[in-house]
Amino acid sequence: MSVQEYLDRHMLSRKIEDAVNAAVRAKTPDPVLFISNHMKKAVPAVITKIRARQILDSRGIPTVEVDLHTNKGMYRASAPSGASTGMYEAVELRDGDKGKYLGKGVSKAVNIINDKISEALMGMDPQLQSQIDQAMIDLDKTDNKAELGANAMLAVSIAACKAGAAEKEAPLYKHISDLSGKSSTTLPVPAITVISGGKHAGNNLAVQEIMILPVGASNFEEAMQMGSETYHHLKAIISEKYGPSGCNVGDDGGFAPNISGISEGLDLVIEAIDRAGYNGRIKLAIDVAATDFCIGKKYDLDFKSPNKVGQNFKTGEDMIEMYSQLCTEYPVVSIEQPFDKDDWEHTKLFTALGLCQVVGDDLLMSNPKRIERAINEYTCNALLLKVNQVGTVTEAIEVVKQAKDANWGVMVSHRCGETDDSFIADLAVGLGAGQMKSGAPCRGERLAKYNQLLRIEEELGSEAVYAGENWRSP
């Protein structure tokens, strides 16, 4: 036995002895419970160990996973990753060694956690989330997390948040609510992917996804039932019209039939909603991800079709006209990233029409400076929160507050490359976001988030509040 092991055991024996003596003095009717509670108070709330490793995300690409230990237990978290990463978001640290995982390895980020971050955070109280995150920010010393890596910092930050909730013996969503200064929680409306395109699927559809929002559900459980039933009716419709291969799914689990354009996709979804019997209770949303097919100042809606590239260019004005028509003809209530990441002009013009929620993704990158500009210039009216774009839990809470103070909508979002970590479900509830997208009701890493929301609603019982029709301002 080492000296340290001897001391650890000796101190534990002393604490047990103290607890027993205290129980005797108190003459408690339940000495076992008394001693257990006494021991909990005697053990300090500190981080005792942090260990990281490289795992694979839902695309088979490496990402970072962290085990954070306290005297109370071990808490695990992992970092998601996007396919369409932008120049304004916090930087992922990748190895760049083409001989391993095609350069996508994250062993550098893992080593940074095990060496630098672990040393900096050892002994800190996991309940003090802002201090933990600030310690990593101070250690990084860059504006975009380039030194430590946003993937390394985020995984540690999430693990610490889970540990902090455990120390308080509170649900994770409640701990997040406390950290954000909120007194209530809300179950979000799920923005469920049903058709995939863009960089997330191998069909010719330019836009990245078509989603359904069950705003007419009475609770989250019913919302998922409505979404699942519509999804399966859509599968049958696509199989009838395009054959079984049309039911292949994209990265997010949405079907990827080789449709000619967005209107054809929306027609399919409307038919599925009708078959499911949910007309009027389910609204539509579109994630355009227009940055992916912006060439110069024009947009190529045939960018994925080799024989048609360059034949279907549209100007910003053309795109505004197209979106306006879609909002008129279909129950589209939200359009995400309708223009290029730097096309502030057309985004602002479209938002001013007031036809639907206009969500900033690449435009904002969850970056507080870009959010501030968009608020001041009335460029869009909703934030897409991707926690790995900002890098820590504390900063995520801050940008959500920034958006809500401007009366924006907030949609918490998964990424293309996901793990089975369900953290964003608790985050969406704790922050009262009102909206959360986690892909289709298909694929385990997507359902991990939706299923966690079902558990949270059950746990809250009669206190559970579903955003429903108030999805933009719960």
Side-chain angles (χ1 to χ4, degrees):
M1 182 188 300
S2 69
V3 173
Q4 186 60 53
E5 287 174 328
Y6 173 81
L7 290 174
D8 289 343
R9 291 189 184 182
H10 182 67
M11 290 302 295
L12 181 59
S13 298
R14 287 286 303 275
K15 287 170 183 173
I16 293 174
E17 183 181 344
D18 290 344
V20 171
N21 290 334
V24 171
R25 289 194 300 270
K27 297 180 180 179
T28 173
D30 190 344
V32 174
L33 179 61
F34 183 93
I35 291 170
S36 175
N37 291 334
H38 188 91
M39 288 292 291
K40 287 177 182 177
K41 294 176 183 177
V43 176
V46 294
I47 296 171
T48 58
K49 179 182 176 182
I50 300 175
R51 188 71 186 171
R53 66 182 62 86
Q54 179 173 271
I55 63 169
L56 299 183
D57 69 18
S58 57
R59 305 164 300 172
I61 295 175
T63 191
V64 179
E65 181 177 79
V66 167
D67 291 348
L68 186 146
H69 298 254
T70 69
N71 286 318
K72 204 175 188 75
M74 185 274 284
Y75 308 92
R76 178 170 291 163
S78 52
S81 179
S84 304
T85 54
M87 60 189 294
Y88 302 112
E89 66 179 282
V91 175
E92 284 184 328
L93 194 60
R94 299 278 179 181
D95 296 344
D97 180 356
K98 297 297 183 181
K100 293 182 178 180
Y101 290 109
L102 309 178
K104 296 288 189 179
V106 291
S107 61
K108 288 181 180 177
V110 167
N111 290 336
I112 282 175
I113 293 171
N114 291 338
D115 298 334
K116 294 182 179 180
I117 295 178
S118 177
E119 182 180 349
L121 302 187
M122 203 65 64
M124 294 187 71
D125 185 342
Q127 298 170 93
L128 304 178
Q129 186 73 40
S130 61
Q131 292 184 22
I132 289 170
D133 291 339
Q134 190 60 51
M136 289 192 287
I137 291 168
D138 292 343
L139 187 63
D140 178 78
K141 296 185 177 68
T142 70
D143 292 334
N144 60 358
K145 315 291 191 295
E147 181 67 25
L148 300 182
N151 45 352
M153 294 174 66
L154 179 65
V156 174
S157 183
I158 292 175
C161 192
K162 293 178 180 180
E167 289 293 345
K168 290 167 57 176
E169 298 185 346
L172 181 55
Y173 60 86
K174 179 63 171 65
H175 178 51
I176 292 169
S177 179
D178 292 343
L179 291 173
S180 65
K182 289 179 61 63
S183 58
S184 60
T185 56
T186 306
L187 274 298
V189 170
I192 300 171
T193 305
V194 289
I195 290 182
S196 293
K199 284 189 174 182
H200 289 191
N203 54 9
N204 289 331
L205 181 63
V207 302
Q208 192 159 277
E209 55 190 324
I210 297 173
M211 296 169 281
I212 55 175
L213 278 67
V215 298
S218 58
N219 53 44
F220 185 81
E221 183 180 11
E222 186 184 21
M224 286 309 301
Q225 178 187 332
M226 292 166 66
S228 176
E229 290 175 1
T230 302
Y231 181 80
H232 287 287
H233 279 294
L234 178 61
K235 181 178 182 179
I237 292 167
I238 290 173
S239 183
E240 292 166 10
K241 296 187 177 183
Y242 303 90
S245 63
C247 298
N248 291 337
V249 301
D251 288 341
D252 302 336
F255 299 116
N258 207 16
I259 53 182
S260 60
I262 188 168
S263 292
E264 187 176 352
L266 292 171
D267 287 336
L268 292 171
V269 177
I270 289 295
E271 185 176 348
I273 293 171
D274 183 54
R275 281 197 192 183
Y278 295 126
N279 281 332
R281 299 179 66 196
I282 292 179
K283 303 299 182 182
L284 303 182
I286 304 165
D287 177 5
V288 182
T291 300
D292 292 340
F293 54 89
C294 181
I295 301 173
K297 292 188 176 181
K298 293 187 176 181
Y299 298 88
D300 186 4
L301 293 177
D302 285 330
F303 84 106
K304 293 170 65 179
S305 179
N307 299 326
K308 296 182 180 179
V309 170
Q311 295 182 17
N312 193 14
F313 277 130
K314 289 188 179 293
T315 64
E317 288 75 17
D318 293 334
M319 297 292 279
I320 289 176
E321 184 178 345
M322 180 183 77
Y323 296 141
S324 299
Q325 186 173 353
L326 292 175
C327 289
T328 301
E329 296 178 358
Y330 302 94
V332 174
V333 295
S334 179
I335 296 181
E336 180 184 328
Q337 201 55 42
F339 301 95
D340 178 64
K341 65 182 182 302
D342 290 317
D343 193 344
W344 295 76
E345 176 191 356
H346 290 107
T347 308
K348 180 177 181 178
L349 289 172
F350 179 58
T351 301
L353 296 177
L355 298 174
C356 67
Q357 173 180 262
V358 181
V359 186
D361 180 11
D362 299 341
L363 182 82
L364 304 176
M365 288 295 173
S366 304
N367 184 313
K369 292 180 181 178
R370 293 178 73 83
I371 294 170
E372 182 180 11
R373 176 183 171 184
I375 290 171
N376 292 337
E377 297 181 10
Y378 302 98
T379 310
C380 59
N381 56 29
L383 165 70
L384 190 77
L385 176 67
K386 294 176 176 176
V387 286
N388 73 315
Q389 287 184 336
V390 64
T392 66
V393 172
T394 299
E395 290 168 293
I397 291 171
E398 288 172 352
V399 295
V400 167
K401 185 177 187 303
Q402 188 180 7
K404 283 185 169 290
D405 286 347
N407 296 316
W408 279 15
V410 174
M411 183 181 286
V412 174
S413 175
H414 65 158
R415 297 307 306 264
C416 173
E418 267 296 341
T419 71
D420 58 2
D421 192 327
S422 62
F423 175 76
I424 64 168
D426 286 83
L427 184 69
V429 174
L431 297 180
Q435 311 165 56
M436 190 191 86
K437 60 184 287 190
S438 183
C442 162
R443 300 189 53 148
E445 75 281 356
R446 313 296 154 182
L447 286 166
K449 286 72 167 171
Y450 293 136
N451 287 339
Q452 176 64 3
L453 289 171
L454 290 171
R455 297 183 197 104
I456 292 172
E457 183 170 65
E458 179 185 19
E459 182 176 304
L460 286 169
S462 61
E463 296 181 5
V465 176
Y466 175 61
E469 299 286 355
N470 298 319
W471 55 280
R472 273 190 47 80
S473 54

